[in-house]
Structures are given as C-alpha cells and as structure tokens.
C-alpha cells in the first residue's frame, strides 16, 4: 500500500500519519513495515506486510489531513484468485465432477409444483442425460402475489425425486435459518440466488454449516454485481473454509429488456476463468429469458469456457407456475427447444472446444 501525502507536509504531519497508521494496523492485527520517503514532489509512506486487513481502514486513513490518496496494491480477493492457485478447482457432488473434462448439466423446473411434476421432471432430466436435478422449493419472487414455492413440502418432494431418479438435488436457499432443514432433506447443492449474492450473513452461515461436508454451494452472480464484488462474495465462502464453491452467471440488468430478460453475460465467463480458480456454470434460462435463445446461449457460454450449464426444463412449460416461457420441454427429443438436444449438442461442443483449445 502506498500512502501519498500532500506536497507541503512537514515532519509533524508525517509523524501524525504514521502514528495513526500503526494504530489502525494494531486494531486489525495487521503486521506491517513502513518506510517514509520525503521526495520534494512526492512525500509517501510505503507500507509492506499484511496490508489486506488494513485495506478496510482505507477510508479512515484517507480522512487524515496530510493524506492525498491511498493506492492499494493488494488484490481484493486471494483464495479465489488464479495467482493463488493456477488450476481450476474441481468440485465433486455425489461423484459428479464440475470443472474438468466433462460438461456438467443441471436441469429441471424453476419451481417444484407437485409430486407428479417433479418426479416426471427428474426422470426426464435423467433420460435426457442431465447430471443433477434443479427445482426451487423456496422461491424469492419479485411480486408477493406470485407463487412462492411449496417450501418444506417442496424439499420433501425433491428428496423423493432424487430417490426415484438417482440425480443429486440443486435448490435455492433463501434464509440461513433453513440450512438444517435442507440438510435433513438431503439437499446436495445449495443455490444462492441472484438476490442474495451479497447477503454476507447467508454466505457466512453456509460456510460455517457446510464446511468439511460433501455439500456444494452454487453461487449466482447478483443481477447488478460487478465481477470483482462477485468474486469477493465467493471469497467469503472460501475464507470461511467452504471449498466446494461453483460460480454461476445468470445474466445482468442491462439497458434492453424487450428482447432478452437480462443482458447475456456469457463473455464474463472468459474473464472469470482468467481471474478465478473456481468452476463456472452458466444459467442459460434466466439470462435470455426465452426458450428459443437457450440453445445459442449454451453454446456461447461453453465457447467462453463454462464448465457446466443450468437449464430450466418442465414437462409442460405452458402450465408452469414460474418461468414457463424460458423453460425447455423436458421430454422432447431432437428439437432445440427440447432438453435432450440441448444437452447432447452442448456436450459435443464442450468436448470439441477442449480438444482444440488444450492441444
Ligand atoms: C432460479 O434459479 O429459479 C432463480 C430464481 O434464479 P436467479 O436467482 O438467478 O433469478
Ligand atoms: Mn426460474
């Protein structure tokens, strides 16, 4: 960290600043060394050591009268960074690996609606070649009048669908008080939805309760969260010792909502694979918001390096209680609006991409 002082500072100002610097470092247990440089034009204090903790005191330092600006050199995240670990972490869920040589696919309806619907969705997803079943039991909806999910009954039905299909379960957790309940119903992957991307209490609680288990967190990007802040959210989980973290991009708010529900941020997969060592799943349903754009969004995400796709699919999308227009037909074969074709083609493209980019 470099602290640049105003050009006319004197010895007393310098003394005042280093005193405050050491006080703040002590407060956050940061072991630091500093050197004062009294150049004519540029009086600075160069700070070395554990400055990461100190970054959080930046604003307080900036308020000191002699300080002109603070230049942080430490990165805002560490454990998630490629600089810390240069290969993609592989997350394993019930023997299925995400982040390696095989495309991982997670499919199922937006919400669990009934026993018949979720069991049929699970069988269709398995038959179409999906690796995991998705389905929301607790649904965070924009309107309080929309279907809010079957809640605990939904978790019970997901467990039943898992037993009948053999597919592990991915479902959204909206409240940390329910983590124990989700564990009782044997949920495999805890999805953190876009609205909770920066709910740090939820992230801390997930890390605390799931670390050391075989559970994983599918961590979605907030619809208006810059990538750096998003990676810092993942850092909450990693620094809380929760290692099984899968990133999930799902589109962001943009200037046009007429043709797509969100701005499709597949290009950001490339940025994340460059900066970050976590596996990445792309949500091909919520980004475009329309069934006919799911296929190309999937190919695009894979082109940019995604390791998996999450795909909404319903036995009868016209009757779905949420997100029907973006859901594929779970049972349809052959067509691009059917789940099996999308999974097959995306898998082939994934294999091709790996062959041509890794040789
Ligand atoms: C979902 O997966 O159904 C969902 C609500 O996703 P998001 O949080 O990305 O909107
Ligand atoms: Mn949905």
């Amino acid at each position: 960290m470099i602290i640049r002082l105003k050009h006319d500072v004197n010895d007393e100002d310098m003394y005042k600043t280093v005193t405050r610097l050491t006080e703040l470092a002590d407060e956050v247990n940061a072991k630091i060394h500093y050197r004062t440089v009294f150049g004519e034009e540029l009086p600075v204090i160069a700070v070395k050591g554990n400055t990461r903790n100190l970054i959080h005191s930046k604003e307080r330092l900036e308020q000191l009268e002699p300080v002109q600006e603070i230049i942080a050199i430490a990165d805002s995240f560490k454990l998630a960074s490629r600089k810390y670990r240069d290969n993609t972490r592989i997350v394993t869920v019930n023997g299925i690996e995400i982040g390696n040589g095989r495309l991982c696919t997670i499919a199922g309806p937006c919400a669990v609606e009934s026993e018949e619907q979720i069991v049929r969705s699970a069988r269709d997803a398995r038959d179409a070649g999906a690796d995991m079943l998705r389905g929301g039991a607790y649904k965070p909806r924009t309107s309080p009048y929309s279907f809010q999910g079957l809640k605990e009954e939904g978790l019970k039905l997901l467990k039943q669908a898992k037993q009948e299909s053999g597919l592990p379960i991915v479902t959204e957790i909206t409240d940390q008080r329910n983590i124990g309940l989700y564990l009782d119903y044997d949920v495999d992957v805890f999805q953190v939805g876009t609205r909770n991307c920066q709910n740090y209490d939820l992230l801390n609680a997930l890390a605390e309760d799931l670390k050391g288990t075989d559970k994983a967190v599918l961590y979605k990007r907030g619809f208006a969260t810059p990538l750096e802040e998003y990676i810092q959210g993942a850092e909450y989980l990693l620094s809380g010792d929760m290692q099984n973290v899968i990133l999930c991009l799902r589109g962001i708010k943009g200037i046009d909502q007429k043709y797509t529900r969100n701005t499709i941020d597949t290009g950001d997969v490339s940025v994340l694979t460059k900066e970050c060592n976590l596996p990445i799943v792309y949500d091909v349903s919520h980004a475009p918001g329309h069934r006919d754009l799911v296929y190309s969004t999937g190919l695009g995400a894979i082109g940019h390096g995604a390791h998996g796709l999450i795909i909404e699919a319903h036995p009868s999308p016209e009757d779905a209680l949420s997100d029907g227009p973006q859901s594929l037909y779970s049972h349809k074969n052959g067509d691009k609006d059917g789940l099996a074709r999308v999974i097959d083609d995306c898998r082939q493209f994934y294999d091709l991409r790996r062959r041509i980019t890794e040789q």
Side-chain angles (χ1 to χ4, degrees):
M1 175 193 280
I2 307 284
I3 303 173
R4 250 187 83 196
L5 303 176
K6 292 180 181 150
H7 71 278
D8 55 354
V9 293
N10 55 30
D11 283 349
E12 198 185 319
D13 294 326
M14 186 66 99
Y15 177 74
K16 201 166 125 191
T17 311
V18 293
T19 307
R20 186 70 182 132
L21 171 70
T22 38
E23 273 171 18
L24 289 173
D26 284 348
E27 240 180 59
V28 293
N29 272 332
K31 295 208 178 358
I32 55 156
H33 311 275
Y34 63 84
R35 205 154 71 87
T36 56
V37 184
F38 247 123
E40 286 255 308
E41 288 297 316
L42 206 69
V44 296
I45 307 172
V47 190
K48 278 202 325 189
N50 186 4
T51 55
R52 188 177 307 275
N53 296 2
L54 204 53
I55 295 291
H56 307 296
S57 312
K58 187 168 171 258
E59 281 175 14
R60 286 156 81 194
L61 273 170
E62 265 164 355
Q63 285 171 49
L64 290 181
E65 176 42 37
V67 171
Q68 173 82 37
E69 77 171 321
I70 299 202
I71 304 159
I73 294 174
D75 294 325
S76 53
F77 54 88
K78 176 182 166 191
L79 302 172
S81 170
R82 285 256 161 206
K83 288 186 203 153
Y84 174 77
R85 181 188 166 132
D86 194 25
N87 53 344
T88 306
R89 296 167 191 254
I90 293 174
V91 172
T92 307
V93 176
N94 279 25
I96 298 153
E97 293 186 336
I98 306 152
N100 71 358
R102 186 171 169 281
L103 179 74
C104 171
T105 52
I106 303 165
C110 179
V112 182
E113 297 167 3
S114 67
E115 178 181 337
E116 196 199 340
Q117 175 251 16
I118 195 64
V119 170
R120 177 133 184 243
S121 298
R123 291 200 185 118
D124 286 351
R126 181 198 57 201
D127 295 346
D131 299 303
M132 299 188 212
L133 175 69
R134 63 147 290 148
Y138 290 78
K139 294 299 302 175
R141 304 301 300 281
T142 307
S143 165
Y145 306 114
S146 303
F147 175 57
Q148 303 285 312
L150 297 181
K151 307 211 159 68
E152 186 172 352
E153 177 64 16
L155 294 177
K156 203 192 247 171
L157 296 176
L158 281 168
K159 186 170 181 191
Q160 188 184 335
K162 173 177 170 172
Q163 282 159 353
E164 301 212 13
S165 65
L167 298 181
I169 298 300
V170 181
T171 195
E172 177 167 355
I173 178 111
T174 53
D175 185 331
Q176 56 266 39
R177 288 170 298 188
N178 287 336
I179 298 175
L181 188 67
Y182 279 50
L183 289 169
D184 291 344
Y185 286 105
D186 218 10
V187 166
D188 301 282
V189 180
F190 290 65
Q191 175 177 323
V192 174
T194 198
R195 294 165 183 79
N196 278 310
C197 177
Q198 292 181 299
N199 179 343
Y200 303 115
D201 286 342
L202 177 62
L203 297 176
N204 283 332
L206 285 168
E208 186 56 33
D209 294 352
L210 303 182
K211 67 182 173 200
T213 70
D214 56 359
K215 307 296 181 186
V217 173
L218 183 82
Y219 176 53
K220 286 193 163 195
R221 179 186 192 177
F223 47 67
T225 308
L227 283 179
E228 189 181 22
E229 290 180 27
Y230 176 45
I231 303 172
Q232 284 179 283
E235 191 82 10
Y236 265 84
L237 293 164
L238 296 172
S239 62
D241 215 14
M242 174 58 189
Q243 303 298 324
N244 299 336
V245 180
I246 306 156
L247 297 180
C248 179
L249 297 187
R250 44 82 69 208
I252 49 177
K253 294 265 185 229
I255 51 173
D256 192 355
Q257 288 174 6
K258 181 170 173 184
Y259 302 106
T260 60
R261 184 172 175 183
N262 288 287
T263 295
I264 301 172
D265 56 348
T266 41
D268 286 346
V269 175
S270 289
V271 180
L272 285 178
T273 51
K274 193 171 116 194
E275 299 296 333
C276 210
N277 56 38
L278 295 166
I280 305 160
V281 161
Y282 198 84
D283 183 331
V284 293
S285 308
H286 290 85
H290 298 280
R291 185 181 306 128
D292 62 344
L293 295 175
V294 167
Y295 183 86
S296 56
T297 303
L299 296 179
I302 291 166
H304 281 286
H307 306 99
L309 303 178
I310 182 162
I311 312 166
E312 285 187 339
H314 193 286
S316 167
E318 295 78 8
D319 303 317
L321 296 181
S322 61
D323 288 349
Q326 67 193 33
S327 299
L328 297 180
Y329 293 88
S330 60
H331 56 283
K332 218 177 186 181
N333 282 317
D335 296 332
K336 286 179 182 167
D337 58 0
L339 183 62
R341 168 85 187 270
V342 172
I343 290 181
D344 282 352
D345 288 3
C346 286
R347 228 171 230 142
Q348 284 189 51
F349 185 49
Y350 186 78
D351 295 344
L352 172 69
R353 184 189 186 276
R354 282 186 80 91
R355 269 206 312 278
I356 59 181
T357 57
E358 286 187 1
Q359 278 170 12

